[in-house]
Amino acid sequence: MCPVRVLKTIRKAEYAEVAALFFLQSAAMSMWTVPLSTVLGFHHLGKITPYAFASTALAAFVSPLIFGAMADRRTPPAKVLRGLSIATAMAMAIASLAVQQDWNPWIVLAIIQLNALCFAPTNGILAAIVFAKLSDAQKEFGPLRAMGTIGWITGCCAISLLNADTSPMAGYSGAAVWLIVCAFTFFLPAVEMPKSIARLSWHERFGLDALKLLKNRDHRVVFITAALFNIPLAGFFPYAPPHLRDLGFKYTTAWMSFGQMTEIIAMFSLGTLLLRWRLKWIFLAGLGCGVLRFAFSAMNTPATLLVGITLHGASYTLVFITAQIYLDQRIAVAWRARAQSLMLLMTSGVGNLIGYLGNGWWFDACTKPAGTRWTIFWTGLSLTAAVVGIYFTIAYHGKGVPPGRQREA
């Protein structure tokens, strides 16, 4: 067999391996994240729901340090992922047991926070593994990320098929899949840590030195837009499932997977859109979908709520995945990892923390003894998303920016 053919065969095998990893990790995530608010509410723990989701935001603040410390020890990413998968599985199982056994709510919340701390670094590690194996991120990342979306749908449907939408069994199932992720890491290809993050200070691991990149107007606008847009989006997973139940839906976790349908379409279309559209119009399309998804949910009917949920995937992909690709294309190689860390800090950290806590307050304000005023709740989020869209439209220029790397820093 000729060397070129052997190389292509190896590339296809490695591509299949990272695609399978995306699938498994996303399935494990969805089994825990999507039914969490419903499970907590069913077990009289609804008051801690905003804080339970905010635990992921708090974890995002420290995950760069965890990942950076492991990088300093030159630990292979697959080995790090293996250890964190085991830790996540254990923490998720214990959290599910705590809910099942009616432990003190604050103890339950503490264990959920521990689970978030174990899970948070896995996204960065997975990104390191994946991008190291892609020769053309613009063309290859979308379809590959779509495998994660399919995994998410599979996890959601599995929970509903197990009739575990309100049961701690959802967490036990997610823990089992994390153990499968752990086993799968033994078959992953070897990946060297990127040199740009091999020996970084804590300041650099948080991406704080990447603040220099904000001197560029468009970079600054993209970072701020992503963080602000995450605030209304943080209301999706905690409060869409209860709304579905209020409207008579039973298998809420499966219905929530409708959002991933448009995500798959958007993922496979992203490569073409990036070639034909300016980045500004792709971002605006995603922001517009975000406004519409909350507006449809505000109509408070079964059909319109499902339309709103379905638009979630397109909105997420066209904003956040495009932002990742923007950083990969527009930032100098030596700064990419730190720019991605800063993006993680801005979105999963700052944006989610404000979003989960703020939306929790807004939900309480919209909930009366007679029930939740869903029209007012979702309208507030739609208006917030619209303000973010207006800001981006005015502030982002994107003209005269070459496709090569920017080196303002």
Side-chain angles (χ1 to χ4, degrees):
M1 185 179 292
C2 68
V4 173
R5 185 172 299 176
V6 171
L7 180 60
K8 288 183 177 180
T9 301
I10 293 174
R11 288 261 315 141
K12 288 180 179 179
E14 292 180 346
Y15 193 85
E17 287 171 337
V18 293
L21 183 60
F22 255 125
F23 177 91
L24 291 169
Q25 191 209 32
S26 296
M29 288 169 54
S30 68
M31 288 177 168
W32 172 257
T33 304
V34 178
L36 180 59
S37 62
T38 307
V39 172
L40 292 176
F42 190 80
H43 288 81
H44 312 291
L45 294 169
K47 288 296 183 182
I48 71 168
T49 295
Y51 306 104
F53 279 89
S55 67
T56 59
L58 293 175
F61 283 104
V62 300
S63 64
L65 276 182
I66 297 174
F67 187 32
M70 293 172 181
D72 275 350
R73 297 185 179 93
R74 299 183 180 276
T75 306
K79 189 173 182 179
V80 177
L81 182 59
R82 188 178 310 148
L84 288 173
S85 298
I86 295 175
T88 302
M90 293 176 62
M92 193 174 291
I94 295 172
S96 300
L97 178 65
V99 172
Q100 186 177 21
Q101 298 295 325
D102 296 322
W103 291 7
N104 182 282
W106 297 110
I107 295 177
V108 174
L109 184 60
I111 300 171
I112 290 175
Q113 181 66 73
L114 176 62
N115 173 68
L117 289 170
C118 294
F119 158 75
T122 63
N123 284 325
I125 296 169
L126 181 58
I129 294 173
V130 170
F131 280 108
K133 292 299 177 183
L134 298 183
S135 58
D136 188 342
Q138 180 172 319
K139 294 181 179 179
E140 297 177 327
F141 186 71
L144 184 61
R145 181 61 180 80
M147 287 302 300
T149 305
I150 295 171
W152 188 281
I153 294 174
T154 302
C156 288
C157 292
I159 293 301
S160 289
L161 287 173
L162 292 171
N163 200 24
D165 297 271
T166 61
S167 168
M169 181 59 66
Y172 292 134
S173 301
V177 177
W178 273 113
L179 291 177
I180 297 174
V181 172
C182 172
F184 191 81
T185 59
F186 287 96
F187 303 97
L188 289 176
V191 175
E192 293 184 2
M193 295 300 300
K195 293 182 180 179
S196 60
I197 61 173
R199 292 187 178 276
L200 302 181
S201 67
W202 68 268
H203 187 263
E204 292 169 324
R205 288 174 198 148
F206 273 118
L208 296 182
D209 62 329
L211 289 172
K212 297 176 183 178
L213 296 170
L214 301 186
K215 294 177 182 178
N216 178 288
R217 180 189 180 95
D218 286 340
H219 295 351
R220 182 170 64 250
V221 171
V222 169
F223 277 110
I224 293 174
T225 298
L228 293 177
F229 194 54
N230 235 37
I231 295 174
L233 256 63
F236 180 62
F237 288 114
Y239 303 111
H243 193 183
L244 284 168
R245 293 188 70 83
D246 280 358
L247 290 177
F249 290 89
K250 184 178 180 182
Y251 301 109
T252 56
T253 308
W255 287 112
M256 287 287 287
S257 69
F258 271 44
Q260 278 60 55
M261 294 181 181
T262 54
E263 186 173 330
I264 292 176
I265 296 172
M267 288 290 182
F268 280 101
S269 303
L270 194 55
T272 301
L273 291 178
L274 287 167
L275 292 174
R276 297 183 178 181
W277 288 13
R278 287 178 52 199
L279 281 171
K280 182 172 185 175
W281 300 121
I282 298 177
F283 277 120
L284 283 174
L287 294 168
C289 286
V291 174
L292 289 175
R293 63 181 290 253
F294 293 126
F296 275 110
S297 298
M299 295 179 187
N300 199 25
T301 68
T304 56
L305 179 57
L306 287 179
V307 172
I309 290 173
T310 302
L311 286 172
H312 166 77
S315 176
Y316 177 86
T317 300
L318 296 177
V319 174
F320 296 104
I321 302 302
T322 301
Q324 284 184 299
I325 295 174
Y326 172 94
L327 295 181
D328 186 66
Q329 289 183 341
R330 303 294 176 88
I331 303 297
V333 174
W335 289 88
R336 277 188 230 160
R338 280 166 282 180
Q340 295 287 356
S341 293
L342 181 61
M343 180 62 75
L344 176 67
L345 185 68
M346 294 284 287
T347 56
S348 299
V350 177
N352 273 351
L353 186 62
I354 297 173
Y356 287 133
L357 297 181
N359 289 328
W361 170 83
W362 178 236
F363 177 78
D364 288 341
C366 295
T367 301
K368 302 299 179 183
T372 302
R373 295 179 292 182
W374 290 111
T375 297
I376 297 176
F377 177 76
W378 294 119
T379 297
L381 300 191
S382 181
L383 291 174
T384 303
V387 170
V388 177
I390 293 171
Y391 161 74
F392 179 82
T393 302
I394 296 172
Y396 183 86
H397 290 167
K399 295 181 180 179
V401 179
R405 317 302 183 195
Q406 295 291 318
R407 298 182 181 274
E408 289 80 0

